[in-house]
Amino acid sequence: NIHTHSKMREGVFIRNAFHILPPEKLQALPYNISVGFHPWLLNKIDFKIAHQYLEQASKLKNVMAIGEAGFDNVAHVPLVLQYAFFELQIAIAIQCQRPIIIHCVRAYHLLLPYIKKNNTVIFILHAYSADEGTTKKLLQYENVFFSFGKNMFHRTMIDKQKKLMHM
């Protein structure tokens, strides 16, 4: 799993910096980061301020990706808000030519049109765990990468992940 929410001591990783730190503090971090707006937190964020922040932060040298952006059908955040923030983040990813780290829960049908439309953007699917049918659809796209989180090691997920790895 290349994307993390905690500080790692070694290895290759991109830590999610969320939207709390100002750009000058982000720039001073001694590791690679992603900047963006997680679907769970969108009710607490002003869209105009978020846009300005992302425009500025995305230009920093240690920003390797945009996100964790996406869709979550379980979160108590209106889909209209999730769409607005996702479209902002994908536009910034295109503009600064960075991959976008995706959070997607029971909403791959919402994400697929963006993958189809934006074949120059790299989509990194964070903590991927969708079903076989969804995986087959996503494997058709060269710009989609799967990132497996710690849930991969739960017994119920091991058999599912093994099956997916053989597709």
Side-chain angles (χ1 to χ4, degrees):
N1 191 12
I2 194 164
H3 175 73
T4 182
H5 295 267
S6 54
K7 195 185 302 185
M8 306 291 285
R9 295 176 191 247
E10 56 185 42
V12 177
F13 65 92
I14 300 171
R15 184 176 183 197
N16 190 327
F18 291 102
H19 61 279
I20 299 166
L21 296 175
E24 56 275 5
K25 288 197 177 189
L26 291 176
Q27 189 169 8
L29 294 173
Y31 43 80
N32 296 327
I33 59 173
S34 67
V35 292
F37 308 101
H38 195 287
W40 294 352
L41 307 173
L42 301 180
N43 285 328
K44 302 173 184 175
I45 303 168
D46 179 274
F47 188 81
K48 284 185 179 181
I49 293 171
H51 190 170
Q52 293 170 349
Y53 175 84
L54 200 55
E55 284 274 351
Q56 189 177 7
S58 66
K59 295 173 182 160
L60 300 174
K61 288 184 181 184
N62 60 335
V63 172
M64 297 293 124
I66 303 301
E68 181 174 342
F71 301 101
D72 192 321
N73 272 331
V74 179
H76 299 290
V77 176
L79 273 178
V80 67
L81 197 56
Q82 292 185 50
Y83 272 110
F85 274 89
F86 186 78
E87 289 177 3
L88 165 65
Q89 291 175 95
I90 199 162
I92 298 291
I94 291 167
Q95 178 184 318
C96 67
Q97 298 179 322
R98 299 279 193 283
I100 187 164
I101 296 173
I102 300 296
H103 170 96
C104 199
V105 176
R106 297 183 187 171
Y108 283 97
H109 62 287
L110 303 177
L111 179 64
L112 270 167
Y114 291 96
I115 292 171
K116 290 177 186 179
K117 182 181 173 188
N118 298 286
N119 62 356
T120 61
V121 177
I122 293 174
F123 291 81
I124 300 171
L125 306 178
H126 172 59
Y128 186 76
S129 65
D131 61 32
E132 184 177 343
T134 300
T135 303
K136 284 182 179 179
K137 287 178 189 172
L138 292 166
L139 283 169
Q140 297 174 34
Y141 302 97
E142 292 181 8
N143 60 327
V144 173
F145 292 82
F146 301 86
S147 183
F148 302 100
K150 63 184 174 190
N151 65 345
M152 181 177 179
F153 299 105
H154 292 263
R155 185 78 225 147
T156 55
M157 291 299 295
I158 291 173
D159 292 334
K160 184 178 179 180
Q161 300 295 348
K162 281 182 186 176
K163 189 174 184 180
L164 295 176
M165 298 300 269
H166 294 291
M167 287 188 175

